[in-house]
Amino acid sequence: MRLALVFVAALTLNACSREAAPGGTASAEGDGTAHPEIWPEYKYPVPVDPAVEAKIADLLKTMTLEEKIGQLVQADLCCVTPDDVRKYNLGSILVGGNSGPNGNDLSPAPDWLKAADGFYLASVDKSDGGVGIPVIWGTDAVHGHSNIIGATIFPHNIGLGAAHDPALIERIGAATAKEIRVTGQEWTFAPTVTVPQDYRWGRAYEGYSSDPKLVASYVGAMVRGLQGTPDETNLLAHDKVIASTKHFLADGGTKGGVDQGDAQISEEDLRDIHGLPYGPAIQNGVATVMVSFSSWQGKKLTGNKSLITGVLKDRMGFGGFVVSDWNAHGQVEGCTNNSCPQGLLAGLDMYMAPDSWKGVYEDLLKRAKAGEIPMERIDDAVARILRVKFRLGLFEAGKPSDRPLAGDWKVLGSPEHREISREAVRKSLVLLKNQGVLPLKAGARLLVAGDGADDIARASGGWTISWQGTGLTNAMFPGGTSLWAGLKQAAEAGGGSAVLSPDGSFTQKPDAAVVVFGEKPYAEFQGDRATLALDADLTGPYATMKKLKAQGIPVVAVMITGRPLYVNPALNAADAFVVAWLPGTEGGKGLADVLIGDAAGKPRFQFTGLLPAAWPKTPDMADGALYPFGYGLTYATPRAAWKALAEIDESSAGDARVYFTKGVPASSWSLVLGNIDRGEEKRITTVPADAIGGRAHITATDAAVQEGARRIVVSDGGAALAVSSHDPLNLSRETNGDVMVLFTVKVSKAPAKAALALRCDGSGCGSREPVTLPVTNSFVRYGLQLKCFAGKGADMSKVTAPFILETTGPADYALAEVRLGTDAEKVLPCN
């Protein structure tokens, strides 16, 4: 049996702790019911204040049922107004990855503080005779206050895991809390304490390590950095926020590394691997826990009472409140996004219902009035939320702009915080190879190559300003330093020089070359992979390394990545190989600190980073590790002769959600042109070709590469161009996550009418979505949310053609790409 990804450290857990305890089961097969008695017990250290408990009791007596239900619901900024918060007494709002004040996720920091004031003032408005409980605003400040332009972006968690430094983690948490407070928020959905076991998972970089002990060693430090010590109260009078450990439980243990998938593991593995980090979180008084989208043994966590109530609250003693993930309640068996009492009954206290909040509110209210939900459970959930709000000091703090640090813009990206991040970059770098080229001498003439060298967004990864971290420029990171800029500054400071040449060309031979390569930004959905191989279209720098080395130039490879990947050709080609992970806005300075030495070639800083997870020998981790967990060279490591690594063909490696690119469909996909009037279809395998009775002519045309698109000229009538497969896709998760079908076209003659459609398991999928495609001089990447089709009745679990472009009348257009994603240049409206 080929296991997905097994790490050395995960196998060194105490053998006794992994044996079945009384009442437990060592089998991975089960019904998803936990046995709390085999789980550890903890003491929640936040003091119980009798005065606060009396206030909570008084509020519960005074609040109307409508006010209580409102506290249980959290809405996203995209889909809620201050008037909504006032009318429905909502307990919380959040800002999702692609949300922002005024509908703009690139809104400047002052807009965030102004919006925070607006929502707060609406929530405390008592003009209707209500109690006016203040709202709390949650945000994904997962590696710094990463939604905000100008904030310090720290390395993502996988890099911090390589640093093996809990004290550093606490300082990062404290700095992040201060920057959050500047823009008026009170709650971060961090730290992520997942323990990834399969790095094909697209969110694996949000986990510190595959080793549960290493993850657990960090959790308490980050919680203290964000919240302070457990006995601290009135956090808003100081410089703290509340934290949220996530995602409970085993989001990093799903089969195949599939996001929101199923962890088919025993309860002992669930406890000992994925549950271990929750102990220090609870012991340090974490205020909230976010439940995972994923399942355990086939049962969705958001509806699993045995884990949320039985294990987390009753056995582990967690005393804060539990919040769900983005519309995750809609995936619970028997639920929809608008209706899921099962979540509350399972122990959920707050529904993250970004765009479904109104339906959830109305459904809970109706069921509560009908007696379907016990008032005891409602009151318990409300009390837990109020208890955290009192701990925050929310009732006394006043509006966000009146609180300490609010509007103190110099704190955002402050020199002090950037220096902490720079230190984190230095400590996170892992040296896998050094044949004597490093450190580079100060005063040397450097060539910096690779398409990722001067790209801060790429070095920062997903969950940076935008959800997927895409569509950004260096101008959106004021004060940040790209890898190229950091190397240039250090080279010149040492009396040397540096030249940026992405393709590695030069006019004056350099003393050494640094070639930056690796992954492009991604987050959930987009990040899931079929294998642990770098996308084939990102391997171009391999040839650059070989070319430079053939010219007698020492080559240093620097890899930007959110996970270990098979990159043997780069390891073979380079004289030195450095894993930089996703270092953030201070990546350039931190990298240069370690790579560039003094005039004598002595190190200024040592390599201290160690692999937080095993590095694969091939694209399949089942073939074994090339480098084990904990591996990492230093400048003091004796140099050994390099033994060439085996290289395999990875030309087919790519994003599984790209269905058509560079003029051809992906494997198992077809490009089909049909007649929407008669149902005729022709599969396009070679060009030029004719279809639909000669009314359509298909040829090759250039796009990003030569003949990288297909041009379709229709003389008259109706035509439908589809990218299809015989194997149905389940796009339910992507639909829930606001993912779009993206298609890149250049229109030379606009059709009289156009529409997008889907095909579901051989049949139509709901109504077509009319679209307008004007004439353009260049290719444009359009996007339409999958939700548009789901809202018209499409079965998104059985999609066989995610893209069908229907046209009426003469048309002339070229198609370059079809894929799923979020980075549309133009978002089409959903009618």
Side-chain angles (χ1 to χ4, degrees):
M1 181 178 180
R2 295 169 67 84
L3 298 178
L5 192 56
V6 180
F7 296 99
V8 174
L11 297 177
T12 62
L13 293 169
N14 187 308
C16 294
S17 71
R18 297 180 64 115
E19 295 174 357
T25 171
S27 173
E29 296 180 3
D31 61 358
T33 301
H35 301 80
E37 66 274 11
I38 74 168
W39 289 70
E41 294 180 281
Y42 304 102
K43 179 176 175 56
Y44 193 62
V46 178
V48 176
D49 185 341
V52 169
E53 293 303 307
K55 291 177 182 178
I56 291 173
D58 287 342
L59 280 170
L60 290 175
K61 292 176 183 176
T62 306
M63 293 171 71
T64 64
L65 179 58
E66 287 78 4
E67 287 175 312
K68 291 179 179 180
I69 297 299
Q71 287 301 300
L72 311 184
V73 180
Q74 182 184 59
D76 184 71
L77 206 60
C78 71
C79 310
V80 69
T81 66
D83 282 341
D84 292 329
V85 169
R86 178 186 296 108
K87 180 177 179 180
Y88 293 94
N89 305 288
L90 299 183
S92 177
I93 60 169
L94 80 150
V95 55
N98 280 340
S99 296
N102 309 313
N104 177 19
D105 61 340
L106 303 179
S107 283
D111 287 358
W112 290 70
L113 184 56
K114 183 178 179 180
D117 274 356
F119 281 103
Y120 170 84
L121 292 172
S123 69
V124 298
D125 184 348
K126 300 180 182 179
S127 60
D128 62 354
V131 294
I133 295 172
V135 70
I136 49 173
W137 182 335
T139 184
D140 281 289
V142 293
H143 61 137
H145 196 13
S146 47
N147 275 310
I148 305 297
I149 293 175
T152 308
I153 306 299
F154 294 93
H156 262 300
N157 283 358
I158 191 170
L160 299 181
H164 289 70
D165 190 340
L168 172 64
I169 300 303
E170 186 165 347
R171 288 190 284 137
I172 289 173
T176 300
K178 290 177 181 177
E179 297 205 14
I180 293 170
R181 291 292 303 279
V182 171
T183 57
Q185 286 70 55
E186 308 95 353
W187 181 13
T188 176
F189 303 134
T192 303
V193 301
T194 184
V195 189
Q197 300 298 286
D198 190 326
Y199 277 78
R200 290 176 294 178
W201 182 38
R203 303 190 70 168
Y205 62 80
E206 296 184 53
Y208 295 114
S209 173
S210 63
D211 176 16
K213 293 180 180 178
L214 176 56
V215 177
S217 74
Y218 275 18
V219 177
M222 181 58 84
V223 170
R224 289 192 304 273
L226 292 166
Q227 295 187 167
T229 57
D231 59 349
E232 284 190 51
T233 57
N234 202 10
L235 305 186
L236 295 181
H238 307 290
D239 55 4
K240 300 299 181 182
V241 296
I242 56 171
S244 183
T245 44
K246 65 182 186 182
H247 304 88
F248 186 85
L249 191 62
D251 53 336
T254 62
K255 184 179 179 181
V258 174
D259 191 54
Q260 302 181 20
D262 187 30
Q264 299 175 10
I265 59 177
S266 70
E267 185 170 358
E268 288 68 37
D269 281 350
L270 185 72
R271 176 193 67 196
D272 298 339
I273 298 174
H274 304 282
L276 190 67
Y278 286 88
I282 292 169
Q283 289 172 321
N284 282 275
V286 70
T288 71
V289 169
M290 185 183 294
V291 181
S292 179
F293 273 110
S294 59
S295 306
W296 172 54
Q297 296 183 350
K299 189 170 185 176
K300 284 292 180 181
L301 269 297
T302 308
N304 193 320
K305 185 175 182 178
S306 70
L307 281 169
I308 299 176
T309 299
V311 170
L312 180 62
K313 290 182 173 180
D314 294 344
R315 181 68 173 182
M316 288 184 164
F318 172 61
F321 73 80
V322 176
V323 63
S324 62
D325 207 337
W326 184 279
N327 274 337
H329 57 274
Q331 297 186 20
V332 174
E333 185 177 2
C335 292
T336 67
N337 283 2
N338 291 312
S339 174
C340 190
Q342 293 93 319
L344 185 62
L345 295 173
L348 196 66
D349 300 309
M350 182 179 287
Y351 289 77
M352 185 185 290
D355 54 357
S356 61
W357 63 267
K358 193 172 183 179
V360 168
Y361 171 89
E362 292 174 343
D363 183 73
L364 289 175
L365 181 61
K366 179 184 70 175
R367 293 177 185 275
K369 287 181 176 179
E372 297 177 26
I373 304 174
M375 279 304 303
E376 182 182 9
R377 173 77 270 265
I378 294 171
D379 283 350
D380 173 61
V382 174
R384 285 174 172 269
I385 294 167
L386 293 177
R387 201 167 285 122
V388 170
K389 290 185 175 184
F390 275 112
R391 179 181 172 190
L392 255 177
L394 195 62
F395 289 85
E396 299 81 33
K399 66 179 186 292
S401 62
D402 289 340
R403 302 169 190 168
L405 294 177
D408 191 353
W409 311 119
K410 67 180 181 297
V411 174
L412 283 177
S414 70
E416 176 189 2
H417 295 169
R418 291 186 185 277
E419 186 54 43
I420 296 172
S421 185
R422 182 175 181 171
E423 177 187 347
V425 175
R426 288 197 299 264
K427 291 181 174 179
S428 70
L429 301 173
V430 178
L431 181 63
L432 295 183
K433 179 182 181 181
N434 185 19
Q435 295 300 103
V437 64
L438 290 176
L440 301 169
K441 287 185 180 180
R445 186 165 53 247
L446 293 184
L447 173 71
V448 180
D451 55 0
D454 193 27
D455 191 335
I456 299 176
R458 189 162 171 183
S460 298
W463 295 106
T464 304
I465 301 181
S466 69
W467 175 30
Q468 298 283 332
T470 55
L472 308 175
T473 67
N474 285 355
M476 297 173 187
F477 297 91
T481 307
S482 70
L483 302 188
W484 145 249
L487 292 168
K488 179 177 185 292
Q489 291 169 14
E492 293 176 347
S497 63
V499 173
L500 177 66
S501 175
D503 65 358
S505 60
F506 56 85
T507 55
Q508 187 177 15
K509 187 175 180 179
D511 297 318
V514 177
V515 181
V516 180
F517 78 107
E519 294 189 295
K520 289 185 177 181
Y522 56 82
E524 56 196 301
F525 303 121
Q526 293 303 110
D528 283 6
R529 303 198 54 75
T531 67
L532 289 173
L534 190 66
D535 281 356
D537 63 354
L538 298 177
T539 60
Y542 294 176
T544 302
M545 296 178 203
K546 294 175 182 177
K547 178 180 68 175
L548 290 165
K549 193 169 181 178
Q551 297 173 82
I553 300 167
V555 174
V556 179
V558 175
M559 184 177 182
I560 300 171
T561 183
R563 53 190 148 203
L565 291 172
Y566 164 81
V567 287
N568 286 10
L571 281 160
N572 283 332
D575 297 288
F577 191 102
V578 178
V579 185
W581 310 110
L582 299 170
T585 54
E586 312 315 303
K589 292 180 178 178
L591 178 69
D593 285 343
V594 184
L595 260 60
I596 298 179
D598 61 19
K602 300 290 185 181
R604 293 184 297 136
F605 292 91
Q606 272 288 347
F607 276 99
T608 59
L610 303 173
L611 287 178
W615 197 275
K617 184 184 298 183
T618 75
D620 187 345
M621 198 65 204
D623 292 330
L626 178 63
Y627 302 111
F629 166 85
Y631 182 87
L633 305 176
T634 71
Y635 281 133
T637 304
R639 193 198 322 171
W642 180 257
K643 296 180 180 179
L645 303 172
E647 297 183 17
I648 63 175
D649 180 18
E650 54 181 320
S651 59
S652 62
D655 188 340
R657 293 183 175 86
V658 176
Y659 308 128
F660 179 86
T661 187
K662 297 179 181 178
V664 294
S667 176
S668 79
W669 289 84
S670 300
L671 183 67
V672 176
L673 188 61
N675 184 337
I676 61 175
D677 300 322
R678 299 179 182 176
E680 302 169 0
E681 288 188 345
K682 179 174 182 177
R683 184 178 174 211
I684 308 303
T685 55
T686 60
V687 289
D690 292 315
I692 53 178
R695 289 193 296 107
H697 187 60
I698 305 97
T699 57
T701 188
D702 295 345
V705 298
Q706 186 176 6
E707 297 191 356
R710 292 295 176 259
R711 182 181 179 187
I712 295 88
V713 180
V714 181
S715 61
D716 196 12
L721 183 70
V723 176
S724 64
S725 172
H726 291 296
D727 300 321
L729 291 172
N730 184 347
L731 300 182
S732 302
R733 295 176 300 116
E734 289 83 350
T735 302
N736 183 53
D738 294 337
V739 173
M740 292 181 276
V741 57
L742 303 173
F743 60 102
T744 303
V745 294
K746 180 170 71 173
V747 179
S748 300
K749 182 177 181 57
K753 294 181 181 179
L756 287 184
L758 295 183
R759 179 177 297 146
C760 295
D761 202 14
S763 64
C765 282
S767 302
R768 290 153 175 77
E769 190 64 43
V771 297
T772 300
L773 300 176
V775 172
T776 56
N777 295 322
S778 59
F779 282 92
V780 176
R781 185 168 60 253
Y782 292 93
L784 181 71
Q785 282 196 350
L786 294 171
K787 280 185 176 179
C788 293
F789 299 107
K792 297 175 184 292
D795 184 351
M796 303 305 291
S797 68
K798 299 178 181 179
V799 177
T800 54
F803 170 80
I804 303 174
L805 176 60
E806 299 179 346
T807 60
T808 302
D812 183 350
Y813 63 93
L815 178 71
E817 185 180 53
V818 175
R819 62 183 170 90
L820 300 186
T822 62
D823 55 331
E825 294 172 328
K826 182 175 177 55
V827 177
L828 297 169
C830 180
N831 299 310

